[in-house]
Amino acid sequence: MVIYLWNIQQELPDHNISQYFPNEITKIYDEKYELMYHVGSRDRFYLDFKDIPKNMINAIISAEDKTFFQHQGFDIKGIANAFIINVKNIYSQNSNNYVGASTITQQLVKNILLSRDQTISRKIKELILSLRIEQEYPKEFIIELYLNEIYFGRRSYGVASASFNYFNKSIFDLDIHEYAYLAALPKGPNNYDPDKNYKRAFDRRNYVLKQMEINQFITPDQYSYYSNLKIELTKKNIKKYKSDYKTDFILNSINSNSFNKNAFYIQSTIDQNLQKISEKSLIDNLALLEKKYRNWDGSYKNLEDILKIDNEHWQIAKVVNKKSSLVQLSIINSSELITLNKDNNLYGPRKVSPNTYLNLNDYIFVTNIDNSFYAVQLHEINGSVVIIDPFNGDIVSMVGGVNYNISNFNRVTQAYRQPGSSIKPFIYAKALETGKHLPNTLILDSNILLDQGNNLPVWVPKNYSNKSYGELTFRRALETSNNLVTLKIGLDLGLNSVNEFLDKINFYDKNTNTDVYSTLLGAVENNLLNLTKSYSIFLNGGYIVEPSIIKKVVSNEGELIINNDYFKCKYCSFSYEDRSYRRPIIESQKDKVISPQTSFQILNILEGAVKRGTGKSLSEINYPIAGKTGTTNESKDLWFFGLTPRYVIGVYVGYDTPKSIGFRETGSSVALPIFKSIIENYLLHNKNTNDKFVVPSNLIVKKVNKDNGEISDGQNTIIDYFTKEQLEIIDEINKIESIGGIN
């Protein structure tokens, strides 16, 4: 026996548990500190002993080890008592509630220092290590480790995580019966799941409550009250263990900083309400678009097959009735019956009726849009949406594609496509900045021949309509996205000057060859995030913002690693020793690239594009909106950038392997409706907003004839904005023309 014990002792691991810290897992929260994503399968929040509620400690001691604060690592009396009770239960067969003999210290040793082998040698090792730990560490530290390490079920390691996963409440907000239920779980979480065996879970919870009464932690009246309460748990939140485009981007941002830490608490900039709106708007509108071009292939014969597809925004329905005039479906996991409107659900170029392409007992996806149901199928086309706060660069929504589980390629950041006409506002902004053009400058829309160099054909660019429109004002040309006028403005500025400006605003985030004329019409590839970020300069007064999806990062040791500050403040800190108080001056940390006046003038022209130009289908919305479409050759890549007083919203649509989306499809017909759905749903949740575009100082309002650009109070006028210097230039031109007219 001596030799046996000596050999066991030689095999013992180091019992120094002071350096042991249970592995915490990186957790990502939204802007309101709601948990969005939990990395890995183990869920844990670490609590110090002083922070663990007393009722939780009382409950776990009552359930697992009522003499914990008296024994020295093992409980002889408890072992004998457990042996007698278990023998009685075996022979009587009246109870399955067997009593364990291991102390909390022994359970901790088994969990963090030893294996779970059911052997005598392991039990002896457990006993020796428990005695040593009890001699060297205070009881408070032992139970602290235990309550943070032990498994409670539902992927919960530690009592703090268990509280959220079972009750969706903080551990500090639980009631006594809820503490008792959690204390009942370490014995066998799966055995005490109310959904599987409610009576067993109820009896075990009440056993813990009874032990709390016996130990005088609660009164008999409290026991009587709490033991009659139902066990009410929240549903398992499986979604928080599923990654998506935005969580991948967040984790990649963290990894790129190469922090030498194990876990993080990350507060992101994501607004989950806008995120859900963006996701549904993208997939719904693209599904409706494909109805025009694709035949129906979205029926499933087996429920198991369609359940494998993850899509929280669409519902699964079964065809239960077909008549000549209607198709009735039953929503799965609901008693709701719905009817498909025939006209809304015609599919393919031949507009096939749902009575034809659907069969009885088919399972399909349906989506609810404005209280009408549509049959939808998985997409072939793809797209992306990003919403940015233009004043600080916060990414409040990121949708990198139509289905992350099918493809985790993020089309917001990784898809580089030609921006087409969406580049034009930046060329016009440069023209205003240099003073070469004014908002009412007249420019002739006429054909241009461009020599592209040796061995290259002469380029003869055209407008989208293949027509020319004579003289157009600077404003009108941008509102209607005129190609030829844009080229003339760009050529007047000089290609080098335009490229220098694009470099200044970081328009391209990688080295590209932009020394070609087609750059002026958006032929050089870019991604959605970079383009949307660039549009921020028209909303924020002309300064660059860098997109950020992270507000704060804290390590599991509580160290603040990242704290994004968007402004710097002079004279904000002072002490009593300071001789005088100076008024704080708050300044943006960002670099100005255009003046606030130019910024607003372009914004106002893009607002005109919504009222009178390529975005006029948005004019019915009673909310300040400016916008710019983008369409490339053969309609391969389609864009829309919507600007509101709060956000800039970028939308991209295209196939992953570029091909035509459809004959004569444009950013206005395809990408704009996605933006429209987003803004309409946003306004449903923000009905009483008084948002408006802010007009900077030093701008003067004038009425201008929208056709010839003359400043007048006559007919056919619109409101336009000018700087004092621009009006002086106009006066000088008018004087010269007047003198020339007299001569």
Side-chain angles (χ1 to χ4, degrees):
M1 178 62 72
V2 170
I3 294 171
Y4 177 71
L5 292 175
W6 175 263
N7 288 335
I8 283 181
Q9 185 166 277
Q10 295 297 104
E11 298 172 0
L12 290 177
D14 185 359
H15 67 281
N16 179 9
I17 61 171
S18 63
Q19 301 300 315
Y20 178 77
F21 191 86
N23 287 331
E24 292 202 60
I25 301 299
T26 292
K27 301 174 183 69
I28 300 175
Y29 301 86
D30 67 10
E31 62 169 357
K32 297 178 181 176
Y33 292 100
E34 291 291 328
L35 184 62
M36 286 197 319
Y37 179 56
H38 179 291
V39 181
S41 59
R42 292 192 172 198
D43 198 344
R44 180 183 280 119
F45 295 89
Y46 194 91
L47 291 175
D48 293 332
F49 176 80
K50 62 182 175 58
D51 296 324
I52 301 172
K54 186 66 176 175
N55 279 323
M56 186 68 247
I57 293 173
N58 292 340
I60 202 73
I61 288 173
S62 300
E64 298 292 329
D65 186 1
K66 67 179 181 179
T67 62
F68 172 74
F69 284 102
Q70 288 80 46
H71 64 64
Q72 299 301 311
F74 67 98
D75 183 7
I76 291 292
K77 185 177 179 181
I79 294 172
N81 184 57
F83 177 78
I84 294 169
I85 291 174
N86 290 337
V87 168
K88 286 182 178 179
N89 286 340
I90 291 171
Y91 280 95
S92 67
Q93 297 182 351
N94 290 329
S95 174
N96 292 320
N97 196 16
Y98 300 119
V99 179
S102 293
T103 64
I104 282 175
T105 311
Q106 288 175 282
Q107 292 180 51
L108 179 64
V109 167
K110 179 176 67 176
N111 273 276
I112 69 176
L113 298 178
L114 298 173
S115 69
R116 293 180 172 270
D117 296 340
Q118 299 293 324
T119 62
I120 293 175
S121 63
R122 198 271 298 162
K123 198 69 179 175
I124 293 172
K125 291 177 184 177
E126 179 186 294
L127 186 58
I128 295 171
L129 289 169
S130 298
L131 289 169
R132 291 180 178 178
I133 286 172
E134 289 272 359
Q135 289 172 1
E136 294 188 30
Y137 299 98
K139 292 282 189 178
E140 291 79 6
F141 181 65
I142 294 170
I143 199 168
E144 173 189 310
L145 273 185
Y146 175 82
L147 284 173
N148 284 288
E149 171 64 29
I150 204 72
Y151 180 58
F152 285 85
R154 290 197 178 187
R155 305 190 187 187
S156 307
Y157 288 79
V159 69
S161 291
S163 175
F164 279 109
N165 290 337
Y166 281 96
F167 299 107
N168 196 30
K169 292 194 288 187
S170 164
I171 186 70
F172 309 111
D173 297 330
L174 299 186
D175 208 343
I176 288 173
H177 66 292
E178 293 167 327
Y179 289 119
Y181 178 76
L182 292 184
L185 292 172
K187 185 176 175 64
N190 197 48
N191 297 331
Y192 304 113
D193 183 344
D195 292 335
K196 296 179 179 178
N197 192 326
Y198 183 84
K199 184 178 185 306
R200 195 173 189 181
F202 186 80
D203 290 346
R204 176 66 181 170
R205 192 275 312 268
N206 285 354
Y207 166 79
V208 177
L209 286 170
K210 188 64 179 176
Q211 295 303 307
M212 292 179 74
E213 181 199 354
I214 293 170
N215 295 334
Q216 298 184 350
F217 294 139
I218 60 174
T219 65
D221 287 343
Q222 284 179 308
Y223 169 74
S224 177
Y225 172 73
Y226 287 119
S227 62
N228 284 299
L229 294 179
K230 290 182 178 180
I231 299 174
E232 296 180 348
L233 308 181
T234 57
K235 291 184 178 181
K236 295 180 182 179
N237 182 9
I238 302 301
K239 188 176 185 295
K240 70 180 181 180
Y241 300 106
K242 294 180 179 179
S243 60
D244 57 21
Y245 298 106
K246 63 183 183 298
T247 56
D248 275 1
F249 187 70
I250 291 168
L251 292 174
N252 288 336
S253 299
I254 290 293
N255 293 336
S256 66
N257 286 280
S258 301
F259 297 125
N260 187 24
K261 302 288 180 181
N262 293 324
F264 304 97
Y265 297 96
I266 303 169
Q267 184 195 8
S268 74
T269 58
I270 294 296
D271 179 326
Q272 292 214 71
N273 181 49
L274 269 174
Q275 178 69 27
K276 291 175 182 177
I277 289 173
S278 301
E279 291 171 356
K280 190 171 192 304
S281 297
L282 179 70
I283 64 173
D284 281 357
N285 279 280
L286 291 187
L288 296 184
L289 169 71
E290 287 196 313
K291 284 173 56 183
K292 295 164 60 177
Y293 301 105
R294 284 180 62 194
N295 293 320
W296 176 259
D297 189 28
S299 296
Y300 296 80
K301 298 303 179 184
N302 299 309
L303 180 61
E304 294 77 15
D305 293 335
I306 196 170
L307 284 173
K308 294 175 183 176
I309 301 164
D310 187 25
N311 191 326
E312 65 175 295
H313 299 291
W314 291 352
Q315 295 173 284
I316 298 173
K318 182 180 181 180
V319 181
V320 294
N321 191 12
K322 281 181 62 177
K323 295 181 179 178
S324 58
S325 58
L326 60 84
V327 175
Q328 247 184 350
L329 300 97
S330 172
I331 301 294
I332 300 301
N333 298 326
S334 167
S335 58
E336 183 181 5
L337 282 176
I338 63 171
T339 301
L340 291 184
N341 180 286
K342 179 181 176 182
D343 294 335
N344 288 345
N345 287 277
L346 302 176
Y347 245 94
R350 296 184 179 180
K351 300 186 182 303
V352 179
S353 167
N355 302 75
T356 302
Y357 64 75
L358 292 179
N359 298 312
L360 277 176
N361 300 320
D362 278 356
Y363 292 96
I364 66 168
F365 284 114
V366 293
T367 187
N368 187 340
I369 303 174
D370 297 331
N371 297 318
S372 293
F373 283 93
Y374 294 80
V376 286
Q377 58 184 333
L378 295 184
H379 310 79
E380 290 181 355
I381 200 169
N382 226 306
S384 54
V385 174
V386 67
I387 304 178
I388 293 178
D389 184 327
F391 304 100
N392 54 32
D394 283 354
I395 298 171
V396 297
S397 174
M398 174 182 281
V399 188
V402 294
N403 194 312
Y404 175 85
N405 294 313
I406 293 175
S407 167
N408 57 22
F409 178 75
N410 190 336
R411 293 153 191 86
V412 173
T413 60
Q414 295 175 296
Y416 283 82
R417 300 290 187 267
Q418 293 182 357
S421 301
S422 56
I423 196 176
K424 291 175 182 176
F426 304 98
I427 298 170
Y428 283 69
K430 175 62 177 176
L432 289 178
E433 280 286 286
T434 59
K436 287 193 171 186
H437 293 82
L438 308 178
N440 64 337
T441 299
L442 280 173
I443 307 161
L444 181 63
D445 173 17
S446 59
N447 289 335
I448 307 171
L449 302 179
L450 293 173
D451 183 4
Q452 302 184 88
N454 294 333
N455 301 319
L456 291 173
V458 172
W459 182 32
V460 185
K462 300 287 185 182
N463 287 323
Y464 181 76
S465 63
N466 285 325
K467 298 178 182 178
S468 296
Y469 297 91
E471 284 190 326
L472 295 175
T473 63
F474 181 92
R475 165 186 278 274
R476 187 62 181 160
L478 181 53
E479 285 181 353
T480 57
S481 195
N482 187 283
N483 287 342
L484 297 177
V485 171
T486 302
L487 280 170
K488 287 188 174 182
I489 292 172
L491 293 171
D492 189 29
L493 294 170
L495 198 54
N496 288 338
S497 177
V498 171
N499 287 333
E500 285 174 4
F501 178 70
L502 295 178
D503 289 340
K504 183 180 179 181
I505 66 173
N506 298 327
F507 187 78
Y508 297 106
D509 66 352
K510 61 180 183 177
N511 293 326
T512 53
N513 178 19
T514 57
D515 192 22
V516 289
Y517 292 126
S518 57
T519 299
L520 300 173
L521 296 182
V524 179
E525 294 177 342
N526 209 339
N527 67 29
L528 180 64
L529 181 61
N530 216 44
L531 287 165
T532 308
K533 173 263 296 185
S534 299
Y535 269 88
S536 294
I537 66 175
F538 304 128
L539 281 167
N540 63 28
Y543 61 83
I544 298 173
V545 295
E546 287 305 319
S548 173
I549 201 167
I550 295 172
K551 278 189 177 180
K552 289 183 181 178
V553 178
V554 179
S555 73
N556 55 7
E557 291 90 3
E559 177 188 358
L560 183 62
I561 297 174
I562 292 177
N563 185 20
N564 281 331
D565 292 323
Y566 308 112
F567 302 93
K568 61 183 178 181
C569 184
K570 291 182 179 180
Y571 317 125
C572 285
S573 299
F574 61 95
S575 67
Y576 293 112
E577 289 78 23
D578 290 342
R579 296 180 61 185
S580 64
Y581 169 75
R582 302 184 70 175
R583 184 176 180 178
I585 300 173
I586 299 174
E587 297 177 352
S588 170
Q589 301 262 49
K590 310 303 180 184
D591 296 327
K592 280 281 175 83
V593 290
I594 57 175
S595 70
Q597 291 73 32
T598 296
S599 169
F600 182 80
Q601 285 177 314
I602 295 296
L603 176 66
N604 185 251
I605 293 173
L606 295 180
E607 198 174 3
V610 168
K611 294 175 181 177
R612 298 176 291 274
T614 55
K616 61 186 175 184
S617 60
L618 296 171
S619 59
E620 64 196 48
I621 299 175
N622 185 26
Y623 187 68
I625 299 172
K628 183 68 189 77
T629 56
T631 304
T632 63
N633 289 339
E634 300 178 31
S635 301
K636 291 182 178 179
D637 299 300
L638 305 178
W639 312 77
F640 185 77
F641 297 91
L643 294 81
T644 75
R646 289 177 181 263
Y647 303 113
V648 54
I649 303 174
V651 179
Y652 161 74
V653 176
Y655 288 97
D656 287 343
T657 301
K659 65 177 182 179
S660 178
I661 292 170
F663 178 69
R664 304 291 286 179
E665 295 287 8
T666 64
S668 181
S669 66
V670 174
L672 183 148
I674 298 169
F675 168 84
K676 187 177 183 181
S677 294
I678 293 171
I679 204 66
E680 286 177 338
N681 281 282
Y682 167 76
L683 292 174
L684 285 176
H685 295 87
N686 299 272
K687 293 181 179 179
N688 299 319
T689 177
N690 292 316
D691 294 344
K692 58 184 178 181
F693 295 127
V694 178
V695 183
S697 59
N698 301 323
L699 279 179
I700 301 167
V701 178
K702 293 289 183 181
K703 287 185 177 181
V704 177
N705 184 293
K706 70 182 183 68
D707 293 326
N708 61 28
E710 291 181 359
I711 296 176
S712 70
D713 291 327
Q715 298 294 318
N716 203 28
T717 59
I718 58 172
I719 296 296
D720 214 336
Y721 294 82
F722 299 87
T723 65
K724 182 181 177 182
E725 293 77 15
Q726 288 172 337
L727 290 176
E728 289 173 350
I729 293 172
I730 293 172
D731 287 341
E732 287 295 322
I733 293 173
N734 289 337
K735 286 179 182 178
I736 293 170
E737 290 179 349
S738 176
I739 294 171
I742 293 172
N743 291 337

